[in-house]
């Protein structure tokens, strides 16, 4: 029985083709992970949540929850070789358990659609800064001037919608062409180039005279600033930045050749992703303090700090343009992966071509994006629950749907799948495998659920 099951999983193949090499897979997952989450979102949530203590919780979440979830997603994807919904149904059935696990996949598909609806608006914002940078309008501009440029952009809903449309068009275009073509080359160039430019910015930020203020804001934990809602935000950020909890990495795992080491690939991606986020923090906070800005300014923070830095730098017009091109690329490669679960599902389930599926889902996401595009202008006073439409989408997806998806995914990999299946995929039964299994069965589920229940006030305080 067991050997026939093993043969079966070996013969199983993905409809959508394969990554050409281990490197291609690592690059694709890195392309998914590195994006607006690192450079746009990370600095501003750190700023809103008081700095060091938040960063510490975030790092702990990446290491002890994020990594095991990522490994679980990839191994499930590769074993199922289907879209996340079908993969969870299949693997559940294979273990003689309920096919209802597919609803975890469905929630992931929905989360991807909702996240991309706001992600694309911010991606468009980034694109518009390519043109602003190239025009030289940031050269020697003061903080006040740059703030008013930003407010001018976000205040005009037509401009925001236009760039959102442009970003979504680019995304649909790549997704329609297929998983691998184009993506691999783009990421191979983008990640090192982005890293290099961040180092140039770091040089400037060190010279700003406020580097130590930035450093201590990022790394000196003040635990008085931690509430359970802050801890939940840090955990959500860990999920968001690693692209986990919604099946993007699971979908990519379905195209992974059997020989590739899942453990090695996951560790590489998580390390690169974390490094870029920390680097972004090191660049941005000294600039915040040097210019008397508010760290809790919110989603527009990078769109003020970095133009100020570039505006005062030798060759700033050039560097700024290149930087926003790279950031747009990074956002683009993440956006592609946000769509992949939905597209793979439509292709497999409804027998559509990739191009048809990409256009259908893409149009839906584009339309939903207006909720966010209008949150910064026409509907900025329309507030409920967490704030504007954007604030609600952001909270619902990043703080609720991703951790919830993540907890169900590790419970599935740790409790529903049998030991043979998971150790076969992870290619190990030694110490690292045991550690993964322990984290997946106990630490991650208990940790996620505990933070959740605390944050929504369902667990009483002991003190
Ligand atoms: N990880 C991406 C980023 O940091 C966002 C993302 C989340 C992509 C979930 C795919 C899935 O920008």
């Amino acid at each position: 029985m067991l050997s026939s099951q093993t043969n079966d999983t070996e013969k199983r193949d993905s409809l959508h083709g394969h990554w050409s090499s281990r490197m291609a897979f690592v690059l694709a997952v890195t392309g998914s992970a590195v994006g607006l989450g690192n450079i746009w979102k990370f600095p501003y949530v750190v700023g809103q949540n008081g700095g060091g203590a938040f960063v510490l919780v975030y790092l702990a979440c990446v290491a002890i929850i994020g990594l095991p979830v990522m490994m679980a997603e990839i191994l499930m994807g590769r074993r199922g070789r289907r879209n996340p919904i079908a993969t969870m149904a299949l693997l559940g059935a294979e273990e003689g358990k309920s096919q209802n696990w597919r609803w975890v996949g469905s929630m992931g598909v929905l989360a991807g659609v909702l996240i991309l609806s706001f992600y694309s608006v911010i991606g468009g914002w980034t694109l518009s800064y390519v043109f602003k940078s190239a025009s030289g309008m940031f050269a020697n501009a003061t903080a006040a001037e740059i703030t008013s440029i930003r407010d001018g952009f976000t205040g005009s809903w037509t401009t925001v919608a236009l760039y959102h449309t442009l970003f979504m068009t680019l995304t649909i275009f790549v997704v329609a062409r297929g998983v691998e073509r184009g993506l691999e080359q783009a990421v191979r160039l983008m990640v090192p180039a982005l890293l290099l430019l961040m180092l140039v910015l770091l040089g400037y930020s060190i010279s700003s005279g406020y580097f130590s203020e930035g450093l201590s804001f990022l790394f000196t934990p003040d635990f008085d600033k931690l509430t359970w809602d802050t801890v939940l935000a840090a955990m959500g950020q860990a999920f968001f930045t690693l692209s986990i909890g919604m099946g993007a990495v699971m979908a990519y795992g379905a195209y992974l050749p059997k020989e590739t080491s899942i453990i090695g690939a996951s560790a590489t991606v998580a390390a690169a992703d974390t490094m870029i986020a920390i680097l972004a923090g090191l660049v941005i906070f000294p600039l915040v303090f040097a210019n008397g800005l508010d760290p809790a300014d919110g989603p527009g923070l990078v769109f003020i700090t970095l133009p100020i830095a570039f505006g005062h730098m030798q060759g700033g017009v050039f560097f700024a343009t290149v930087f926003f091109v790279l950031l747009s690329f990074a956002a683009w490669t993440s956006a592609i992966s946000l769509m992949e679960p939905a597209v793979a599902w439509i292709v497999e389930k409804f027998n559509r071509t990739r191009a048809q599926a990409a256009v259908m889902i893409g149009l839906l996401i584009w339309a939903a994006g207006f909720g966010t595009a209008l949150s910064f202008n026409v509907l900025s006073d329309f507030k409920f629950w967490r704030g504007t439409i954007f604030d609600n989408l952001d909270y619902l997806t990043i703080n609720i749907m991703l951790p919830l998806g993540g907890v169900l995914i590790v419970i599935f990999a740790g409790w529903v799948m049998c030991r043979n299946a998971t150790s076969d995929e992870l290619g190990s039964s030694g110490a690292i495998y045991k550690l993964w299994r322990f984290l997946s069965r106990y630490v991650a589920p208990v940790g996620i659920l505990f933070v959740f229940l605390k944050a929504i006030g369902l667990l009483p305080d002991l003190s």
Side-chain angles (χ1 to χ4, degrees), residues 377-427:
N377 35 64
V378 183
L379 295 180
S380 60
D381 291 327
F382 174 61
K383 293 193 173 152
F384 56 101
W385 192 36
R386 290 274 153 185
T388 60
I389 298 176
F390 163 70
D391 295 328
N392 283 299
L393 279 173
D394 169 79
Y395 190 85
L396 174 73
T397 54
I398 297 181
N399 291 11
I400 298 180
M401 292 173 91
L402 295 185
L404 197 62
V407 79
L408 294 167
I409 286 167
V410 269
I411 289 176
F412 187 88
W415 294 95
V416 175
M417 289 181 77
C418 65
R419 226 189 153 91
N420 281 336
T422 51
S423 77
D424 177 37
E425 289 301 331
L426 290 181

Coordinates of all heavy atoms in Angstrom, one line a residue, residues 377-427:
N377 N -8.6 59.3 -0.9 CA -9.1 60.6 -1.4 C -10.6 60.7 -1.1 O -11.0 61.0 0.0 CB -8.7 60.8 -2.8 CG -8.7 59.5 -3.6 OD1 -9.7 58.9 -3.8 ND2 -7.5 59.0 -4.0
V378 N -11.4 60.3 -2.2 CA -12.8 60.5 -2.1 C -13.5 59.9 -0.9 O -14.3 60.5 -0.2 CB -13.5 59.9 -3.4 CG1 -15.0 60.1 -3.4 CG2 -12.8 60.5 -4.7
L379 N -13.0 58.7 -0.6 CA -13.6 58.0 0.6 C -12.8 58.0 1.8 O -12.9 57.1 2.7 CB -13.9 56.5 0.2 CG -14.9 56.3 -1.0 CD1 -15.1 54.8 -1.3 CD2 -16.3 56.9 -0.6
S380 N -11.9 59.0 1.9 CA -11.0 58.9 3.1 C -11.7 59.2 4.4 O -11.2 58.8 5.5 CB -9.9 60.0 2.9 OG -10.4 61.3 2.8
D381 N -12.9 59.7 4.4 CA -13.6 59.9 5.6 C -14.6 58.8 5.9 O -15.3 58.8 6.9 CB -14.3 61.3 5.6 CG -13.3 62.4 5.7 OD1 -12.3 62.2 6.4 OD2 -13.6 63.4 5.1
F382 N -14.7 57.9 4.9 CA -15.7 56.8 5.1 C -15.0 55.7 5.9 O -14.2 54.9 5.4 CB -16.0 56.3 3.7 CG -16.9 55.0 3.7 CD1 -18.1 55.0 4.3 CD2 -16.4 53.8 3.1 CE1 -18.9 53.9 4.4 CE2 -17.2 52.7 3.1 CZ -18.5 52.7 3.8
K383 N -15.3 55.7 7.2 CA -14.5 54.8 8.1 C -15.4 53.9 8.9 O -16.5 54.3 9.3 CB -13.7 55.6 9.1 CG -12.6 56.4 8.4 CD -11.6 56.9 9.4 CE -10.4 57.5 8.6 NZ -9.7 58.6 9.3
F384 N -15.0 52.7 9.1 CA -15.7 51.7 10.0 C -14.7 50.7 10.5 O -13.6 50.6 10.0 CB -16.8 51.0 9.2 CG -16.4 50.3 8.0 CD1 -16.2 48.9 8.0 CD2 -16.1 51.0 6.8 CE1 -15.7 48.2 6.8 CE2 -15.7 50.3 5.6 CZ -15.5 48.9 5.7
W385 N -15.0 50.0 11.5 CA -14.2 49.0 12.2 C -12.7 49.5 12.3 O -12.4 50.2 13.2 CB -14.2 47.7 11.4 CG -13.6 46.5 12.1 CD1 -13.6 46.3 13.4 CD2 -12.9 45.5 11.5 NE1 -12.9 45.1 13.7 CE2 -12.5 44.6 12.5 CE3 -12.5 45.1 10.1 CZ2 -11.7 43.4 12.3 CZ3 -11.8 44.0 9.9 CH2 -11.4 43.1 11.0
R386 N -11.8 49.2 11.4 CA -10.4 49.5 11.5 C -10.1 50.9 10.8 O -8.9 51.3 10.9 CB -9.6 48.4 10.9 CG -9.6 47.2 11.7 CD -8.5 47.2 12.8 NE -8.9 46.4 13.9 CZ -8.2 46.4 15.1 NH1 -7.2 47.1 15.2 NH2 -8.7 45.6 16.1
G387 N -11.0 51.5 10.1 CA -10.7 52.7 9.5 C -11.2 52.7 8.1 O -12.4 52.4 7.8
T388 N -10.4 53.2 7.1 CA -10.9 53.2 5.7 C -11.0 51.8 5.1 O -10.6 50.8 5.8 CB -9.9 54.0 4.8 OG1 -8.6 53.3 4.9 CG2 -9.6 55.4 5.3
I389 N -11.5 51.8 3.9 CA -11.6 50.5 3.2 C -10.3 49.8 3.1 O -10.1 48.6 3.4 CB -12.2 50.6 1.8 CG1 -13.6 51.2 1.9 CG2 -12.2 49.3 1.0 CD1 -14.3 51.5 0.6
F390 N -9.2 50.6 2.8 CA -7.9 50.0 2.8 C -7.5 49.5 4.1 O -7.0 48.4 4.2 CB -6.9 51.1 2.3 CG -5.4 50.8 2.6 CD1 -4.8 49.7 1.9 CD2 -4.7 51.4 3.6 CE1 -3.5 49.4 2.3 CE2 -3.4 51.1 3.9 CZ -2.8 50.1 3.2
D391 N -7.7 50.3 5.2 CA -7.3 49.8 6.5 C -8.0 48.5 6.9 O -7.3 47.6 7.5 CB -7.7 50.8 7.6 CG -6.9 52.1 7.4 OD1 -5.8 52.1 7.0 OD2 -7.5 53.2 7.7
N392 N -9.2 48.3 6.5 CA -9.9 47.1 6.8 C -9.4 45.9 6.0 O -9.2 44.8 6.6 CB -11.4 47.3 6.6 CG -12.1 48.1 7.7 OD1 -12.1 47.7 8.8 ND2 -12.6 49.3 7.3
L393 N -9.2 46.1 4.7 CA -8.6 45.0 3.9 C -7.3 44.6 4.4 O -7.0 43.4 4.5 CB -8.5 45.5 2.5 CG -9.7 45.5 1.6 CD1 -9.4 46.2 0.3 CD2 -10.2 44.1 1.4
D394 N -6.5 45.6 4.8 CA -5.1 45.3 5.3 C -5.2 44.5 6.6 O -4.5 43.5 6.7 CB -4.5 46.7 5.5 CG -3.2 46.7 6.2 OD1 -2.2 46.4 5.6 OD2 -3.2 47.0 7.4
Y395 N -6.1 44.9 7.5 CA -6.2 44.2 8.8 C -6.7 42.8 8.6 O -6.2 41.8 9.1 CB -7.0 45.0 9.7 CG -7.0 44.5 11.2 CD1 -6.0 44.9 12.0 CD2 -7.9 43.6 11.6 CE1 -5.9 44.4 13.3 CE2 -7.9 43.1 12.9 CZ -6.9 43.5 13.8 OH -6.8 43.0 15.0
L396 N -7.8 42.7 7.8 CA -8.5 41.5 7.6 C -7.6 40.4 7.0 O -7.5 39.3 7.4 CB -9.7 41.7 6.7 CG -10.5 40.4 6.3 CD1 -11.2 39.9 7.5 CD2 -11.5 40.7 5.2
T397 N -6.9 40.8 5.9 CA -6.0 39.9 5.2 C -4.7 39.6 6.0 O -4.4 38.4 6.3 CB -5.7 40.3 3.8 OG1 -5.1 41.6 3.9 CG2 -6.9 40.4 2.9
I398 N -4.0 40.6 6.3 CA -2.7 40.4 6.9 C -2.7 39.9 8.3 O -2.0 39.0 8.7 CB -1.8 41.6 6.8 CG1 -1.6 42.0 5.3 CG2 -0.4 41.5 7.4 CD1 -0.8 43.2 5.0
N399 N -3.6 40.5 9.1 CA -3.6 40.1 10.6 C -4.5 38.9 10.8 O -4.4 38.3 11.9 CB -4.0 41.3 11.4 CG -2.9 42.3 11.5 OD1 -2.0 42.3 10.7 ND2 -3.0 43.3 12.4
I400 N -5.5 38.7 10.0 CA -6.5 37.6 10.3 C -6.3 36.4 9.3 O -6.0 35.3 9.7 CB -7.9 38.1 10.3 CG1 -8.0 39.1 11.5 CG2 -8.9 36.9 10.5 CD1 -9.4 39.7 11.7
M401 N -6.5 36.7 8.0 CA -6.6 35.6 7.1 C -5.2 34.8 6.9 O -5.2 33.6 6.9 CB -7.1 36.0 5.7 CG -8.5 36.4 5.7 SD -9.1 37.2 4.2 CE -9.7 35.7 3.3
L402 N -4.1 35.6 6.9 CA -2.8 34.9 6.7 C -2.5 34.0 7.9 O -2.2 32.8 7.8 CB -1.7 35.8 6.4 CG -1.8 36.6 5.0 CD1 -0.6 37.4 4.8 CD2 -2.1 35.6 3.9
P403 N -2.6 34.6 9.2 CA -2.2 33.7 10.3 C -3.2 32.5 10.4 O -2.8 31.4 10.8 CB -2.3 34.6 11.5 CG -2.1 36.0 11.0 CD -2.7 36.0 9.6
L404 N -4.5 32.8 10.1 CA -5.5 31.7 10.2 C -5.2 30.6 9.2 O -5.2 29.4 9.5 CB -6.9 32.3 9.9 CG -8.0 31.4 10.4 CD1 -8.0 31.2 11.9 CD2 -9.4 32.1 10.0
G405 N -4.9 31.0 7.9 CA -4.4 30.1 6.9 C -3.2 29.3 7.4 O -3.1 28.1 7.2
G406 N -2.3 30.1 7.9 CA -1.0 29.5 8.4 C -1.2 28.4 9.4 O -0.6 27.3 9.4
V407 N -2.0 28.7 10.4 CA -2.2 27.7 11.5 C -2.9 26.5 10.9 O -2.5 25.4 11.3 CB -3.0 28.4 12.7 CG1 -4.5 28.4 12.4 CG2 -2.8 27.6 13.9
L408 N -3.8 26.6 10.0 CA -4.5 25.4 9.4 C -3.5 24.6 8.6 O -3.5 23.4 8.6 CB -5.7 25.8 8.7 CG -6.8 26.4 9.6 CD1 -7.9 27.1 8.8 CD2 -7.4 25.3 10.5
I409 N -2.6 25.3 7.9 CA -1.6 24.7 7.0 C -0.6 23.8 7.9 O -0.4 22.7 7.6 CB -0.9 25.7 6.1 CG1 -1.8 26.1 5.0 CG2 0.4 25.1 5.6 CD1 -1.4 27.3 4.2
V410 N -0.1 24.5 9.0 CA 0.8 23.6 9.8 C 0.1 22.5 10.5 O 0.7 21.5 10.7 CB 1.7 24.4 10.9 CG1 3.0 24.9 10.3 CG2 0.9 25.5 11.6
I411 N -1.1 22.7 10.9 CA -1.8 21.6 11.5 C -2.0 20.5 10.5 O -1.9 19.3 10.8 CB -3.2 22.1 12.1 CG1 -3.0 23.0 13.3 CG2 -4.1 20.9 12.5 CD1 -4.2 23.6 13.9
F412 N -2.3 20.9 9.3 CA -2.5 19.9 8.3 C -1.2 19.1 8.1 O -1.2 17.8 8.1 CB -2.9 20.5 7.0 CG -3.3 19.5 5.9 CD1 -4.5 19.1 5.8 CD2 -2.3 19.1 5.0 CE1 -4.9 18.1 4.8 CE2 -2.6 18.2 4.0 CZ -3.9 17.7 3.9
A413 N -0.1 19.8 7.9 CA 1.2 19.2 7.6 C 1.7 18.4 8.9 O 2.3 17.3 8.7 CB 2.3 20.2 7.2
G414 N 1.4 18.9 10.0 CA 1.9 18.3 11.2 C 1.1 17.2 11.8 O 1.6 16.2 12.4
W415 N -0.2 17.3 11.6 CA -1.2 16.3 12.3 C -1.9 15.4 11.3 O -2.2 14.3 11.5 CB -2.2 17.0 13.2 CG -1.5 17.7 14.3 CD1 -1.2 19.0 14.4 CD2 -1.2 17.1 15.6 NE1 -0.6 19.2 15.7 CE2 -0.6 18.1 16.4 CE3 -1.4 15.8 16.1 CZ2 -0.2 17.8 17.7 CZ3 -0.9 15.6 17.4 CH2 -0.3 16.6 18.2
V416 N -2.3 16.0 10.1 CA -3.1 15.2 9.2 C -2.2 14.3 8.3 O -2.4 13.2 8.1 CB -4.0 16.1 8.3 CG1 -4.7 15.3 7.2 CG2 -5.0 16.9 9.2
M417 N -1.1 14.9 7.8 CA -0.2 14.2 6.9 C 0.6 13.2 7.8 O 1.0 13.5 8.9 CB 0.7 15.1 6.1 CG 0.0 15.9 5.1 SD 1.1 17.0 4.1 CE 1.9 15.8 3.0
C418 N 0.9 12.0 7.2 CA 1.6 11.1 8.0 C 3.1 11.4 8.0 O 3.6 12.1 7.1 CB 1.3 9.6 7.6 SG 1.9 9.3 5.9
R419 N 3.8 10.8 8.9 CA 5.3 11.1 9.0 C 6.0 10.7 7.8 O 6.9 11.5 7.3 CB 5.8 10.2 10.2 CG 6.7 10.8 11.1 CD 7.2 9.8 12.1 NE 8.5 10.3 12.5 CZ 8.7 11.0 13.6 NH1 7.6 11.3 14.4 NH2 9.8 11.5 13.9
N420 N 5.6 9.6 7.2 CA 6.3 9.1 5.9 C 6.2 10.2 4.9 O 7.2 10.5 4.2 CB 5.7 7.9 5.4 CG 6.1 6.7 6.2 OD1 7.2 6.7 6.8 ND2 5.3 5.6 6.2
A421 N 5.0 10.7 4.7 CA 4.8 11.7 3.6 C 5.7 12.9 3.8 O 6.4 13.4 2.9 CB 3.3 12.0 3.5
T422 N 5.6 13.5 5.0 CA 6.4 14.7 5.2 C 7.9 14.5 5.2 O 8.6 15.3 4.7 CB 5.9 15.5 6.5 OG1 6.0 14.6 7.6 CG2 4.5 16.0 6.4
S423 N 8.3 13.4 5.8 CA 9.8 13.2 5.8 C 10.3 12.9 4.5 O 11.4 13.2 4.1 CB 10.2 12.2 6.9 OG 10.0 10.9 6.4
D424 N 9.5 12.2 3.7 CA 9.8 12.0 2.3 C 10.0 13.3 1.5 O 11.0 13.5 0.8 CB 8.7 11.1 1.6 CG 9.0 10.9 0.2 OD1 10.2 10.7 -0.2 OD2 8.0 10.9 -0.6
E425 N 9.1 14.2 1.7 CA 9.2 15.5 1.0 C 10.4 16.3 1.5 O 11.0 17.0 0.7 CB 7.9 16.3 1.0 CG 6.7 15.7 0.2 CD 7.0 15.6 -1.3 OE1 7.9 16.4 -1.8 OE2 6.5 14.7 -1.9
L426 N 10.5 16.3 2.8 CA 11.6 17.2 3.3 C 13.0 16.5 3.2 O 14.0 17.1 3.4 CB 11.4 17.5 4.8 CG 10.2 18.5 5.0 CD1 10.0 18.8 6.5 CD2 10.4 19.8 4.3
G427 N 13.0 15.2 2.7 CA 14.2 14.5 2.4 C 15.1 14.3 3.6 O 16.3 14.4 3.6

